[in-house]
Each structure stands twice: as C-alpha cells, then as structure tokens.
Amino acid sequence: MGTATDHGLARSLHGFLRRTKRDYSAGQERPLEGYLAAVAGFGVYTSAWATAVRLLGRPVPERPAPWDVALTSVAAFRLSRLLSKASVTSPLRAPFTRYVGPQGPAELHEEARSGTGKDAVGELLTCPFCLSVWMVSTLTAGQLLWPRATRTAMGALAALAGADALQLSYAALVARVEGGAEEGTGTQDE
C-alpha cells in the first residue's frame, strides 16, 4: 500500500470514529476513546494472565467448583467496593476523581474528572460493578497461578464482607431499638 492510500484510510477511519461518537453521545460528553482504551487494556491484561497460566503449565479445571465461584463472588464484591468507595483508598482514586461527599457507612461519593483520559479511568475506579470485572479476572488468574495464597486472601475478603454485613445489621438493629424506645416514651395514661 502506498502512503497516500494509508493517509486516506486513516482519514476515513478518523471520520467514521468522529461520526460514531457524535451519533452515540446524543449531545452528552462521553469518553468513548477512554472506554476503548479500557477494553483494550482489559484484553491485554487477561491475555497476559492466560499466557502466564499456559507458559507455567498450570492445570485449568474443566469447570469451576461451586465453592470457588461463591468465594470469588464475595471476595470480588468486597475488593471492588474497597477499591472504588472506601475512604482509605481515596488516594488511589484522587488523580482521576473529585470528592463529592460521604455515601453510606465508610464510603465516599466521587465523580470522575473530565479530560485527558481521566474521565474513563475515574468512572472505572468509582464503579464497583465495573471494577468487579477486573477483580474477578484477577482472582480467577490468582486461583490458577497461586491457588493457596489466593484462596487465603479471598477468604479474608469474604470474612471482611461478613463483618461488614454484621456491622450494618447491628447498626440497623440499634437504630430500630432506639427509634422504638423514643416512640414508647409516653405514659400509659395517655
């Protein structure tokens, strides 16, 4: 192919991408380039794990054990929320997000910063649902490469999720009891 053909193809592709973004965005600012980079990054990330598993000759089970699926689910849930919402991990998100305020017990509400690719990264880092895809992939790869250490870490994350559930249940119970005590402060003669 000649240089003129290469430039013409590049212009056509650029025009197609610009029109696609305009038509998709419906007047809103959407960081499609950043999302595309995130998808590509995820592909490279998972390919690297798969290559490591293959090169090291690690066995891949025919199907995941139900216990591993359950443990991975709980661990990925807790790790995703820890990374995307916890106050203590806000320094990791700060370059890509802006603090808005508290959101639930020990969690923050942050918004992605706009511009220069920070918006897509910020959206990923503040979305526990988005981050869980990466966490499940990481934990799955960890189970294949370092099963004992990974299951130990996942057990700790599952225990943390259980402790969180107990803390929230206790707080709800205390609030209910205190609310009921205030309602019952009247005298019987009333």
Side-chain angles (χ1 to χ4, degrees):
M1 261 191 207
T3 305
T5 305
D6 291 343
H7 288 301
L9 181 60
R11 277 194 305 274
S12 294
L13 180 59
H14 182 67
F16 169 76
L17 293 174
R18 191 175 55 247
R19 284 188 307 277
T20 299
K21 181 177 180 178
R22 181 197 64 222
D23 294 344
Y24 170 79
S25 298
Q28 302 286 324
E29 184 59 37
R30 300 301 303 151
L32 291 182
E33 298 89 352
Y35 295 155
L36 185 57
V39 169
F42 184 76
V44 169
Y45 182 69
T46 55
S47 295
W49 279 117
T51 300
V53 167
R54 184 177 174 100
L55 288 175
L56 292 172
R58 303 293 186 180
V60 177
E62 186 174 318
R63 69 180 61 87
W67 171 248
D68 283 339
V69 172
L71 186 60
T72 302
S73 298
V74 175
F77 161 78
R78 190 61 199 105
L79 187 55
S80 296
R81 292 212 65 92
L82 180 66
L83 292 174
S84 66
K85 296 291 182 187
S87 298
V88 72
T89 56
S90 61
L92 302 175
R93 299 183 304 272
F96 308 99
T97 62
R98 184 178 55 80
Y99 174 78
V100 176
Q103 176 183 317
E107 291 191 343
L108 302 178
H109 174 65
E110 297 165 324
E111 292 179 352
R113 292 188 189 188
S114 60
T116 64
K118 289 185 177 185
D119 38 11
V121 175
E123 283 189 37
L124 174 66
L125 292 177
T126 59
C127 174
F129 297 96
C130 305
L131 211 51
S132 67
V133 174
W134 291 75
M135 296 304 100
V136 167
S137 296
T138 302
L139 295 171
T140 300
Q143 288 179 73
L144 294 171
L145 294 170
W146 310 285
R148 290 179 66 180
T150 302
R151 284 190 181 95
T152 300
M154 289 192 320
L157 288 164
L160 182 58
D164 290 347
L166 290 171
Q167 293 290 355
L168 292 170
S169 298
Y170 178 79
L173 180 63
V174 168
R176 186 173 181 194
V177 168
E178 288 176 352
E182 291 174 14
E183 291 173 9
T185 57
T187 64
Q188 284 187 334
D189 294 335
E190 295 178 341

